Amino acid sequence: MNAPFATTTPSSLSQQLHRGWLILILGGLGALLPRPSTDNSAQAISFTHDKHGQTYQRFRNQFGADEVVVIHIRASHTQALMSAIAAAEQQLDNFPPIVRVIGPSSAYSEVLDLLEEPSLAGEQTSTLIAKYLEGPLNRSLQLLTLTQPQMSASIYGFGRLAPPTEWHKLDNALLNLRKELPQTATITYGGSPFLNLALDAEGSRVEQTSVPLLAIFCGLLLYGVLRSIRLAVCILVIVGTGVLAADGVYGLFGLTGNLVVNVAKPLLLVILLANAIHIAVAFDDYLRQGYPRAKAAWSASQDKKRALSLALLTTAIGFMSLVFAELAPIHQLGLLATGGLLAGAPLLLYGLPTLLTHWGPQKPSSHTLQTGRIEILLHRWIPRSRSYRGTIFVSSLIVIALGVSVGLTLRPQTHPINFFPKTHSIVETYNTLEQEGFGLMTLEALIDAPQTGTLSSLDRWVQTATSTPQIRGRLDTALLLREMNWQQNGQDIVPDEAYSNFLRNQSPKIFARLEHGHTFRVALLLKGQLSVHELDQLKQQLTRSLAAEMPDAKLTLTGNFALLMRSQLVLQRTLTRSLLLTLLLMELTLLWALRSFKLALIALIPNILPLAVNVLIMKLCQIPLDTGTVMTGAITLGIAVDDTLHFLITWQDKGASAAVKQTGKAILLSTLVMTCGFFVLVPSQFLPTSHFALLTGTAMLVALAGDLWVLPALLPDGPVELPSNLLISPCTHLSTGLSVKRPDH
């Protein structure tokens, strides 16, 4: 190993240290910046310039309420049911973000009065109660069921966008109410706000628990492979500073965090650690050659400068492809990761040597024997891989072809509730409500009807819509008019225009947030889960039926559920585009770095292999496309090419033997750190994070095999000579045919 700083003067070292301290100070200031806030709401999925996001924003400006809370109560006797209804509706009424409450108390106050007064019981009272409960509102929303032995009630709260802290208050209030109810009554509640709270909790868990656990684990692992506490601490300080500084600068620009963005922090941690190991191994080798600590640190930095800079650049390119994603969270992840990697390069190349100069170990680590064994193993590995060149090449192409064909069949996740394991409380609540016939998602249909007198036509269209198996209920102006006409006149029809206007003017609050000019809002309550394909079919069906009933009307579907479903559809396009863009940019970078078109093509094969294997694992384990798995392709390509560049650049400059000696050990150790680091996140209760960690960690192992088995087999023939300074047994015969003896001392 030729030391770039072997003849360095004190003045040049002083200049390097000044640069290093400046970078460390800037990184420290960035790490002290406040952390970004978290936003996992549906509104945060789309960009402000996206037409679907703009439609959703107009909907919220016009109608406000979009968050839906469903409370389902079951009781064995009337008194317990009435008490639970009153308490639950009071909680919703007293909660500011809830702008409309529809339940038995607000819809059937006279019925509840009759039920609470036993002296009024009789055949006439029963007939009156039955009449109320046979009305269109109860048939649609199942607000009150008095069938023995188990009576039930449902309460709907329609809310506006509010901070998570506000919804936490309602969650706690309903939890306390559940504890206070008598044993004869039970309460189950759910809705999109509580799903968002669960997503926020998992995001916080990744940031507050998984990342520190990952840092501790990597620190122990670093000590295990480097055998130096000082060296491990210096690396962790630099890497931790880089991650925190990237996160702080990200928040400084007003960007928010979310479940997807939070994944960037452990990613940055393991990627920067892996690259730092290359400098650490080189630093240890220079110490072993007798160089002073300062010169060893800066020689290692200079020796790895080109390979490390290009490696981080290509990884950043992999993340940069995500910047062009149509979903805001994936776009934000690309921004944070790309910025963090580009900022991490000067920290590793200048900040790390500065720390090593002052606080690094002064003696090499004590694992010389293990080091020699690793190098001997790698020197045996390369010739053997070359002897199977044809088989390796054909097998690699077969795996890649299978991965491409299988990748075309992958489908996106159908519902955010499936992001959690079946044992999670939010899933159990969702399944309970679904079994009772209550879905937790609404599809907001906006009907732009410029002509007057369209309420009857609108009602007929909605009745047709609710007859489909995917929709179980509705809430709209026509339904409320029918209910008022039913209670007052016993007629289940939309009244004429004059009487409808009279009812709307008499009770404006009842019809608030359901009309805006000539636009009518119809909240369609969905039954169960819909796939992207099923939602598209439903939209086509609703559009055709509206055209038949109201030719001049225009239908727009929006709301939380519509945005979430569109995001799942966009995942497929994101996967395809990010992969193609990453491949193109990576090939150009490899071509520029290696100055050889042939080498650039060869380098792609071992880096595409991990992606192909991941796709096959997803198909075999039935892992769907979601916000976590869709990113593994571009990220895997970006990370895997790091070690390929380290190996190829050294191979070009110094030959195969030097490439094995100077990079093989670091590649092996860095892959070990990255793989174990990703696997730490596999137990996460948030399945996209767990799947992402599993696939990325597995990809690192496949990339290791690609770099140390596939890549050497595909490279042009050249001599593979064993370095003379390895501590091995005399006369050890390798598969290269070389006879190696212990060097003389």
Side-chain angles (χ1 to χ4, degrees):
M1 183 183 293
N2 297 323
F5 271 77
T7 59
T8 302
T9 62
S11 60
S12 61
L13 275 177
S14 177
Q15 292 175 357
Q16 297 288 1
L17 286 172
H18 288 159
R19 293 176 188 173
W21 279 116
L22 177 61
I23 291 172
L24 284 174
I25 292 172
L26 292 176
L29 292 175
L32 295 176
L33 291 172
R35 302 302 100 190
S37 59
T38 301
D39 185 5
N40 285 303
S41 65
Q43 192 174 15
I45 293 176
S46 300
F47 294 109
T48 54
H49 60 268
D50 178 72
K51 65 176 183 178
H52 299 279
Q54 291 175 348
T55 300
Y56 180 65
Q57 188 58 49
R58 284 196 300 270
F59 161 74
R60 297 194 66 90
N61 293 338
Q62 293 175 352
F63 301 100
D66 181 46
E67 309 284 356
V68 179
V69 174
V70 180
I71 301 177
H72 186 61
I73 303 169
R74 299 184 70 89
S76 57
H77 61 83
T78 305
Q79 191 60 38
L81 181 66
M82 298 302 104
S83 176
I85 290 173
E89 289 203 32
Q90 183 180 9
Q91 290 291 349
L92 293 182
D93 284 330
N94 294 337
F95 186 61
I98 295 293
V99 297
R100 175 190 290 273
V101 177
I102 297 181
S105 295
S106 57
Y108 309 119
S109 57
E110 296 181 13
V111 172
L112 298 188
D113 290 340
L114 293 174
L115 290 174
E116 291 177 348
E117 185 54 57
S119 62
L120 299 178
E123 183 177 350
Q124 185 176 3
T125 300
S126 299
T127 302
L128 180 61
I129 292 175
K131 175 191 173 183
Y132 273 105
L133 301 186
E134 290 173 0
L137 187 63
N138 199 47
R139 293 202 308 271
S140 179
L141 301 181
Q142 304 176 33
L143 296 179
L144 189 61
T145 303
L146 299 178
T147 306
Q148 294 289 349
Q150 193 79 5
M151 298 178 289
S152 65
S154 301
I155 305 169
Y156 295 83
F158 295 85
R160 56 176 173 79
L161 192 65
T165 52
E166 292 295 317
W167 293 110
H168 268 298
K169 294 178 183 178
L170 179 61
D171 187 29
N172 293 331
L174 293 177
L175 282 174
N176 293 331
L177 175 61
R178 177 186 289 173
K179 297 176 183 178
E180 296 170 357
L181 289 178
Q183 295 182 353
T184 54
T186 60
I187 179 173
T188 307
Y189 65 92
S192 53
F194 304 115
L195 177 59
N196 289 336
L197 287 181
L199 294 174
D200 290 343
E202 291 302 325
S204 299
R205 191 170 290 113
V206 169
E207 185 170 8
Q208 298 174 6
T209 304
S210 298
V211 174
L213 178 64
L214 178 61
I216 294 172
F217 181 83
C218 288
L220 295 175
L221 196 60
L222 277 175
Y223 173 71
V225 298
L226 299 176
R227 304 295 178 87
S228 170
I229 294 179
R230 287 188 176 187
L231 189 54
V233 169
C234 288
I235 291 175
L236 286 177
V237 168
I238 289 297
V239 171
T241 300
V243 174
L244 292 176
D247 192 38
V249 174
Y250 175 86
L252 186 65
F253 285 94
L255 299 172
T256 58
N258 50 62
L259 275 166
V260 178
V261 171
N262 287 344
V263 174
K265 298 164 193 175
L267 269 175
L268 285 173
L269 182 67
V270 296
I271 294 172
L272 294 178
L273 273 176
N275 281 276
I277 286 177
H278 284 273
I279 295 180
V281 170
F283 170 72
D284 186 72
D285 287 341
Y286 279 119
L287 288 179
R288 200 175 306 282
Q289 295 179 34
Y291 286 94
R293 182 171 59 182
K295 288 188 177 182
W298 290 103
S299 295
S301 171
Q302 189 68 21
D303 193 49
K304 296 297 179 181
K305 185 175 183 179
R306 177 172 172 241
L308 188 144
S309 300
L310 289 172
L312 288 179
L313 176 62
T314 51
T315 307
I317 287 173
F319 283 102
M320 195 181 300
S321 66
L322 301 177
V323 174
F324 303 97
E326 298 178 56
L327 296 180
I330 297 180
H331 163 83
Q332 292 162 353
L333 171 87
L335 283 177
L336 176 56
T338 301
L341 290 173
L342 295 179
L347 278 170
L348 292 179
L349 293 174
Y350 294 96
L352 181 56
T354 300
L355 289 187
L356 293 177
T357 297
H358 294 282
W359 295 290
Q362 296 185 2
K363 297 180 180 181
S365 59
S366 58
H367 58 288
T368 306
L369 183 60
Q370 291 87 342
T371 298
R373 288 176 177 175
I374 290 176
E375 292 174 354
I376 292 296
L377 176 64
L378 294 176
H379 271 281
R380 288 178 176 178
W381 193 268
I382 289 179
R384 289 181 181 179
S385 70
R386 288 180 175 179
S387 64
Y388 295 100
R389 174 175 296 177
T391 303
I392 291 174
F393 179 67
V394 173
S395 301
S396 299
L397 293 183
I398 291 174
V399 172
I400 291 172
L402 285 174
V404 172
S405 61
V406 170
L408 297 175
T409 66
L410 295 178
R411 293 292 177 262
Q413 185 60 271
T414 57
H415 196 286
I417 201 71
N418 296 321
F419 290 167
F420 302 94
K422 295 181 179 180
T423 56
H424 197 283
S425 60
I426 194 74
V427 178
E428 293 176 347
T429 298
Y430 180 90
N431 291 335
T432 300
L433 290 173
E434 192 176 62
Q435 291 172 2
E436 297 287 344
F438 300 94
L440 298 183
M441 291 291 178
T442 61
L443 186 62
E444 299 290 348
L446 303 182
I447 311 299
D448 188 10
Q451 294 184 357
T452 58
T454 58
L455 285 173
S456 296
S457 300
L458 175 65
D459 182 57
R460 288 192 295 271
W461 173 76
V462 180
Q463 289 188 59
T464 302
T466 52
S467 64
T468 60
Q470 297 95 335
I471 301 174
R472 68 159 196 85
R474 56 183 278 201
L475 180 65
D476 54 271
T477 298
L479 178 68
L480 295 180
L481 288 172
R482 282 174 53 196
E483 178 66 24
M484 297 175 74
N485 198 19
W486 170 261
Q487 292 187 14
Q488 296 179 15
N489 304 313
Q491 297 179 342
D492 186 11
I493 59 173
V494 177
D496 57 44
E497 184 177 351
Y499 190 37
S500 294
N501 290 335
F502 169 75
L503 293 175
R504 289 148 81 183
N505 293 330
Q506 188 181 38
S507 307
K509 290 186 178 180
I510 295 179
F511 298 94
R513 301 179 184 273
L514 291 175
E515 305 175 39
H516 187 272
H518 295 295
T519 302
F520 296 92
R521 172 192 179 187
V522 180
L524 300 173
L525 306 180
L526 299 176
K527 184 188 299 181
Q529 298 185 23
L530 295 182
S531 66
V532 175
H533 179 65
E534 289 172 334
L535 178 61
D536 186 59
Q537 287 184 325
L538 177 60
K539 180 179 179 180
Q540 294 178 11
Q541 183 178 348
L542 294 177
T543 302
R544 287 194 299 267
S545 61
L546 181 65
E549 192 67 49
M550 305 171 65
D552 297 330
K554 178 184 177 183
L555 171 65
T556 302
L557 296 181
T558 187
N560 268 308
F561 182 76
L563 278 183
L564 289 172
M565 286 296 97
R566 178 185 172 273
S567 70
Q568 303 306 311
L569 182 62
V570 169
L571 288 178
Q572 291 176 308
R573 295 202 298 268
T574 299
L575 175 63
T576 304
R577 293 177 182 177
S578 63
L579 284 179
L580 292 177
L581 184 59
T582 301
L583 283 172
L584 175 62
L585 295 176
M586 188 177 296
E587 181 63 15
L588 293 175
T589 305
L590 288 170
L591 185 60
W592 173 70
L594 301 174
R595 301 293 194 274
S596 169
F597 184 72
K598 181 179 180 179
L599 279 182
L601 284 178
I602 289 175
L604 275 184
I605 295 178
N607 289 291
I608 296 177
L609 270 178
L611 176 60
V613 172
N614 268 358
V615 171
L616 295 177
I617 292 175
M618 290 178 65
K619 189 67 174 181
L620 183 64
C621 300
Q622 297 182 342
I623 299 176
L625 285 176
D626 54 38
T627 51
T629 57
V630 75
M631 300 181 296
T632 56
I635 292 173
T636 296
L637 282 173
I639 297 176
V641 79
D642 275 15
D643 289 335
T644 304
L645 272 171
H646 280 287
F647 184 90
L648 283 177
I649 288 175
T650 308
W651 179 83
Q652 274 189 319
D653 294 343
K654 304 177 183 179
S657 181
V660 174
K661 177 176 173 54
Q662 297 181 21
T663 67
K665 179 174 56 178
I667 288 174
L668 193 61
L669 296 180
S670 62
T671 300
L672 175 65
V673 171
M674 284 196 292
T675 302
C676 294
F678 283 123
F679 282 165
V680 168
L681 301 177
V682 171
S684 172
Q685 289 292 296
F686 186 63
L687 294 184
T689 300
S690 177
H691 293 158
F692 174 82
L694 173 65
L695 294 174
T696 311
T698 304
M700 295 302 99
L701 295 177
V702 179
L704 176 66
D707 286 331
L708 299 182
W709 180 257
V710 177
L711 181 61
L714 301 180
L715 289 175
D717 290 326
V720 183
E721 299 178 356
L722 193 62
S724 60
N725 60 344
L726 292 181
L727 300 180
I728 58 176
S729 300
C731 299
T732 302
H733 294 276
L734 304 182
S735 57
T736 56
L738 297 176
S739 178
V740 183
K741 297 182 179 181
R742 183 186 302 272
D744 296 330
H745 295 285

